[in-house]
Structure formats: C-alpha cells, structure tokens
Amino acid sequence: MKNKKGMGTVEIVIIIAVLVGLALIFREALTGYAQNVMDFVFDEGRITNAFG
C-alpha cells in the first residue's frame, strides 16, 4: 500500500466546487456586502470633512 500524504486532486476539486456553490447561493448578499465596504472605503465626503 502506498502512503498517501497530503490532499489529492479530488479533494481540491470538491472544496472548490463547494466554495463556488456557496458563492452562487449567497451571490446577492456577497455583492451587497462588497458594495457597502467599497462605499465606506472610498467615501470622499468622509475624507474632505476630516481634513476640511
């Protein structure tokens, strides 16, 4: 018997498939969250008010 150490190709493919499936299921929530984060980070009104 061979000593199988580490993760094989099948395990990697299954993990990627699960992650893609979760991303598709929660697509709207993830895009809304990403948009809120981007709006917060790149809010020019906060920057001008802080230094104005």
Side-chain angles (χ1 to χ4, degrees), residues 36-49:
N36 288 338
V37 169
M38 296 299 267
D39 289 343
F40 179 76
V41 170
F42 296 111
D43 184 14
E44 292 184 22
R46 280 188 332 122
I47 295 171
T48 54
N49 289 337

Side-chain angles (χ1 to χ4, degrees), residues 10-32:
V10 175
E11 288 87 359
I12 298 295
V13 169
I14 291 172
I15 291 170
I16 291 173
V18 169
L19 290 175
V20 169
L22 287 173
L24 290 174
I25 291 171
F26 297 109
R27 177 181 55 216
E28 292 179 14
L30 290 172
T31 55

